Amino acid sequence: MTKIDIFSGFLGAGKTTLIKKLIKEAFQGEKLVLIENEFGEIGIDGGFMKDAGINVTEMNSGCICCSLVGDFGAALEEVLEKYHPDRIIIEPSGVGKLSDVIKAVSGVMESHDDVQMNGYVTVADATKCKMYMKNFGEFYNNQVESAKTIVLSRTGKITDEKLDAALALIREKNDKATIITTPWDEIDGKQILGAIEESNSLEIELMEEEDVCPECGHHHDHDHDHHHHHHADEIFTSWGFETPATYTTEEVEGFLKELDNEEKYGIVLRAKGMIPAADGTWIYFDYVPEESNVRAGKPDVTGKICVIGSKLKEAELENLFRK
């Protein structure tokens, strides 16, 4: 039997961190395959995950909403045939619609009796859900509405009032999901997995009642997506480049502070990179608005920098990062 777990979450919510925690604390001894579906030209996450000793299949499929069902189904079939894993973790792009991913997986399951849909988890940054609902409602809300378990990240960083307000916004969109609010470093991965698997039994019957359209509850082809909905690639863009140039930690910290300047660079939702430093070490960085992380990492084949956002001003970004 292969269990399939989908971990969705907006850019920078902490999906990768949560998956690493679960791999370390909850999935030991399982034969595990991780499938990532990244948005953007540079498949940069492969490097981050290899750090954790995990095998990654990368699919850079520009517009997720349309092309996901095609390549994605094929990738899933291949993993099932080749590896017969105990568990497949799917980490869709931060701007993918969770309902599309569920639909693609359901399509593959029709021809496999030994595959079970396990968790649909959405990781949501408690400090940012209000802003994301306002600016990116269609994508963000779909992830919240389609989840069976919502794991809040960064809850340790906000007041109880703010956390209550974030919960109220999420409950308006989804009053059935189990919501995990405890900071992750205070609970074990096994407890998180317990909550994810607990929330299954109700849903299994519902899933079997057919492919009901998540947007409007009718049984029909999903062509209405194309009429009223934007595609991810109209709203989000990704920009980046590969570079052999060396940088210093101070320079990188300087770049990341600059990115908060929306007027100058557009709305930067996420930036990450792995670039060489002059002394032979490598600098890895990760950025989400008002929060960034710069650390040392393993050398890679070449330096890469990738920025994802909305209305990005590429010429300005080029000036900022290029040496």
Side-chain angles (χ1 to χ4, degrees), residues 21-313:
K21 180 175 170 73
L22 290 171
I23 285 172
K24 209 163 100 202
E25 299 171 10
F27 300 147
Q28 288 130 327
E30 291 186 10
K31 190 167 170 194
L32 188 82
V33 174
L34 175 82
I35 299 178
E36 288 193 318
N37 181 33
E38 256 317 325
F39 178 83
E41 308 87 69
I42 300 182
I44 209 167
D45 262 346
F48 282 85
M49 279 309 215
K50 281 188 198 86
D51 271 1
I54 301 154
N55 205 354
V56 178
T57 322
E58 290 200 58
M59 295 170 293
N60 289 346
S61 60
C63 171
I64 302 107
C65 321
C66 335
S67 59
L68 180 96
V69 180
D71 346 343
F72 183 76
L76 194 53
E77 285 283 356
E78 190 181 327
V79 164
L80 286 165
E81 297 306 319
K82 243 198 190 139
Y83 302 105
H84 303 291
D86 299 318
R87 189 184 300 267
I88 295 174
I89 291 181
I90 297 171
E91 183 182 358
S93 143
V95 297
K97 290 190 172 174
L98 179 53
S99 59
D100 285 348
V101 185
I102 293 172
K103 206 158 67 190
V105 174
S106 306
V108 171
M109 284 177 62
E110 282 165 19
S111 54
H112 291 269
D113 299 335
D114 55 347
V115 176
Q116 175 196 340
M117 275 290 232
N118 193 49
Y120 314 143
V121 181
T122 291
V123 182
D125 180 332
T127 62
K128 304 198 174 83
C129 45
K130 190 172 177 180
M131 186 268 281
Y132 285 158
M133 281 181 183
K134 197 177 100 203
N135 293 334
F136 304 104
E138 185 186 315
F139 293 92
Y140 192 73
N141 294 345
N142 182 280
Q143 294 184 356
V144 171
E145 287 157 8
S146 310
K148 292 194 295 187
T149 314
I150 295 170
V151 183
L152 292 182
S153 61
R154 307 200 169 83
T155 54
K157 296 208 158 118
I158 53 174
T159 62
D160 290 352
E161 290 76 38
K162 286 224 166 99
L163 182 54
D164 286 341
L167 279 171
L169 289 172
I170 287 174
R171 279 280 174 238
E172 269 169 43
K173 306 272 180 268
N174 184 337
D175 55 2
K176 293 188 184 60
T178 305
I179 301 181
I180 298 179
T181 56
T182 309
W184 304 354
D185 46 8
E186 295 172 20
I187 45 178
D188 185 75
K190 288 192 180 63
Q191 290 170 280
I192 297 176
L193 181 64
I196 292 169
E197 298 198 324
E198 195 81 336
S199 58
N200 278 343
S201 43
L202 298 171
E203 305 289 327
I204 289 172
E205 298 97 83
L206 291 176
M207 268 307 291
E208 304 196 326
E209 283 170 21
E210 265 314 279
D211 248 40
V212 176
C213 168
E215 308 275 346
C216 60
H218 293 140
H219 297 252
H220 59 65
D221 286 338
H222 290 265
D223 61 347
H224 64 300
D225 282 5
H226 301 288
H227 305 304
H228 336 292
H229 296 292
H230 294 100
H231 283 312
D233 58 4
E234 289 166 20
I235 296 185
F236 303 101
T237 44
S238 86
W239 169 87
F241 61 93
E242 300 198 340
T243 174
T246 63
Y247 294 80
T248 65
T249 307
E250 291 69 44
E251 283 174 315
V252 172
E253 287 168 350
F255 294 153
L256 300 182
K257 278 208 182 63
E258 276 283 297
L259 293 178
D260 286 333
N261 181 342
E262 203 169 293
E263 266 156 49
K264 192 166 178 188
Y265 300 104
I267 304 174
V268 178
L269 292 166
R270 190 85 169 86
K272 44 171 44 170
M274 20 182 57
I275 44 182
D279 62 3
T281 60
W282 276 63
I283 301 168
Y284 279 43
F285 67 81
D286 248 311
Y287 163 94
V288 287
E290 290 149 40
E291 187 170 341
S292 49
N293 161 351
V294 179
R295 59 193 186 281
K298 297 187 185 128
D300 205 347
V301 286
T302 183
K304 297 176 191 174
I305 288 173
C306 181
V307 178
I308 299 178
S310 192
K311 307 187 183 72
L312 292 180
K313 299 184 180 165

Side-chain angles (χ1 to χ4, degrees), residues 309-321:
S310 192
K311 307 187 183 72
L312 292 180
K313 299 184 180 165
E314 301 194 352
E316 293 290 349
L317 288 165
E318 182 81 32
N319 281 342
L320 176 65
F321 283 108

